[in-house]
């Protein structure tokens, strides 16, 4: 028996996991989602992910048809059905099927999908030697247009920057906001280290408030490092001693080169490695 996918309360075989072509998630990217991980049979920061999903839904006036506890139970049920203890979990809530117009009120019922799968990571070599990334010409969505805090099904802004990275032979791109300050990468938050002090863009830079970002900020305090949330420029990136990215899928990954400029020694730095070690201790314990 193959992978089972949860759709609207039913666990169905992967091949039968289908939704309507009239779903506004398909027609307009109208919906929200979460990417979550389970380690050793436990869903990591489940409450934070579920809270963020409901906040994203509230921001687009989408009423999730089940409550938070029911969603948590559905996630556990899907993991169990697939006998997965270490997994990547994708929760999607679409607007549901309606007519061809934009009007979300033609959609009868939002559709809830839960996919659990094994984790595909960046190559291990990148964790040891660090990534090379670029800065993208594509500007991150303006918060007054589509706020990056909403984890919506419309990721074209990020995909355009990802294409820039791929065309440059790199795996990730950092995006600036419309004021020219660093926002975030296409699927990760960004941190830099300069003279022993850690900096990361603030909420006001127009970013997804990453849950891994929050975990790393906690680990920073625990390890006795100083951290500031501040607006950063391309200059700050190029002159950094260390840099790393955080995200549910990537966890914490070192960056050693941005737009061809080598950072520090060109190897993952000591603060990055300390935090990476702390992160592994936290999730793999
Ligand atoms: N920024 C963007 C644009 C993302 O898509 C993600 C990954 N979902 C992140 C940051 C990291 O967020 P988290 O740590 O919650 O996975």
């Amino acid at each position: 028996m193959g992978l089972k996918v949860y759709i609207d309360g039913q666990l169905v075989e992967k091949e039968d996991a289908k939704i309507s072509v009239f779903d506004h998630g398909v027609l307009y990217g109208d919906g929200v989602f979460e990417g979550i991980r389970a380690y050793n049979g436990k869903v990591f920061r489940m409450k934070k992910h579920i809270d963020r999903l409901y906040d994203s839904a509230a921001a687009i006036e989408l009423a999730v048809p089940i409550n938070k506890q029911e969603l948590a139970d559905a996630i556990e049920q899907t993991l169990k059905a697939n006998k997965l203890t270490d997994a990547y979990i994708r929760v999607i809530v679409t607007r549901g099927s309606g007519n061809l117009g934009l009007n979300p009120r033609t959609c009868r019922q939002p559709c809830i999908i839960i996919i659990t799968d094994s984790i595909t990571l960046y190559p291990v070599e990148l964790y040891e030697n660090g990534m090379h990334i670029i800065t993208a010409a594509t500007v991150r969505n303006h918060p007054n247009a589509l706020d990056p805090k909403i984890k919506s099904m419309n990721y074209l802004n990020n995909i355009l920057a990802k294409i820039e990275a791929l065309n440059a032979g790199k795996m990730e791109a950092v995006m600036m906001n419309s004021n020219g300050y660093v926002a975030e990468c296409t699927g990760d938050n960004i941190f830099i280290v300069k003279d022993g002090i850690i900096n990361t863009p603030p909420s006001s830079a127009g970013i997804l408030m990453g849950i891994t970002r929050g975990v790393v900020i906690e680990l920073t305090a625990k390890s006795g490092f100083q951290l500031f949330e501040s607006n950063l420029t391309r200059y700050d990136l190029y002159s950094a001693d260390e840099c790393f990215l955080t995200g549910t899928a990537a966890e914490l990954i070192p960056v050693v080169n941005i737009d061809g400029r080598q950072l520090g020694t060109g190897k993952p730095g000591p603060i990055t490695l300390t935090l990476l070690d702390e992160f592994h201790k936290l999730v793999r314990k």
Side-chain angles (χ1 to χ4, degrees):
M1 269 195 309
L3 189 77
K4 290 203 165 47
V5 176
Y6 174 105
I7 302 185
D8 289 335
Q10 305 290 319
L11 282 166
V12 297
E13 293 295 327
K14 181 180 174 178
E15 294 70 30
D16 302 320
K18 293 175 183 154
I19 64 164
S20 167
V21 295
F22 291 95
D23 192 307
H24 281 204
V26 178
L27 292 172
Y28 298 115
D30 187 353
V32 294
F33 76 100
E34 273 300 317
I36 316 175
R37 263 174 93 149
Y39 294 98
N40 301 318
K42 190 169 185 306
V43 181
F44 187 63
R45 303 284 157 126
M46 168 102 95
K47 184 177 184 310
K48 286 227 181 306
H49 282 284
I50 290 185
D51 286 346
R52 187 171 69 182
L53 181 75
Y54 280 73
D55 288 346
S56 292
I60 67 163
E61 206 184 285
L62 174 65
V64 183
I66 60 176
N67 69 32
K68 290 183 180 181
Q69 186 57 52
E70 288 166 334
L71 182 63
D73 292 345
I75 292 170
E76 299 282 9
Q77 182 197 354
T78 311
L79 281 173
K80 214 167 149 197
N82 289 300
K83 298 188 174 61
L84 286 166
T85 52
D86 289 85
Y88 182 80
I89 304 156
R90 173 62 54 90
V91 181
I92 308 155
V93 185
T94 72
R95 186 73 69 179
S97 81
N99 64 26
L100 288 179
L102 279 177
N103 185 354
R105 303 210 173 135
T106 68
C107 305
R108 278 177 302 280
Q109 165 97 337
C111 173
I112 302 178
I113 301 164
I114 304 170
I115 308 167
T116 56
D117 207 348
S118 51
I119 303 150
T120 42
L121 293 173
Y122 287 127
V124 65
E125 184 267 330
L126 286 180
Y127 289 85
E128 284 160 7
N129 300 329
M131 279 181 119
H132 291 217
I133 66 172
I134 60 157
T135 62
T138 304
V139 168
R140 188 74 178 103
N141 278 338
H142 193 290
N144 291 347
L146 175 57
D147 198 319
K149 284 189 178 57
I150 303 170
K151 203 164 167 57
S152 88
M153 284 174 67
N154 197 315
Y155 252 54
L156 266 180
N157 179 226
N158 313 52
I159 290 165
L160 292 178
K162 182 84 173 184
I163 288 169
E164 289 186 55
L166 296 173
N167 286 345
K170 308 287 183 282
M171 307 262 285
E172 207 18 311
V174 53
M175 305 176 77
M176 308 293 145
N177 62 29
S178 58
N179 294 319
Y181 292 116
V182 176
E184 60 183 334
C185 289
T186 68
D188 297 305
N189 292 111
I190 186 164
F191 291 72
I192 60 165
V193 182
K194 180 71 173 174
D195 297 330
I197 295 169
I198 307 169
N199 269 282
T200 194
S203 162
S204 59
I207 59 172
L208 182 75
M209 296 306 280
I211 287 159
T212 320
R213 174 185 182 277
V215 170
V216 168
I217 290 173
E218 284 168 28
L219 292 176
T220 296
K222 197 172 146 245
S223 309
F225 296 128
Q226 250 198 315
L227 176 137
F228 295 100
E229 294 179 70
S230 41
N231 282 320
L232 304 172
T233 61
R234 274 193 175 80
Y235 169 82
D236 295 318
L237 297 179
Y238 297 157
S239 60
D241 301 324
E242 300 180 34
C243 176
F244 59 88
L245 313 181
T246 63
T248 294
E251 299 181 323
L252 190 161
I253 187 159
V255 170
V256 294
N257 189 296
I258 305 179
D259 289 338
R261 280 78 160 176
Q262 177 181 302
L263 308 186
T265 61
K267 294 249 170 309
I271 293 183
T272 303
L273 292 176
T274 302
L275 290 170
L276 184 57
D277 192 47
E278 288 297 323
F279 190 86
H280 283 162
K281 276 194 227 155
L282 179 70
V283 298
R284 309 238 150 82
K285 74 180 174 210

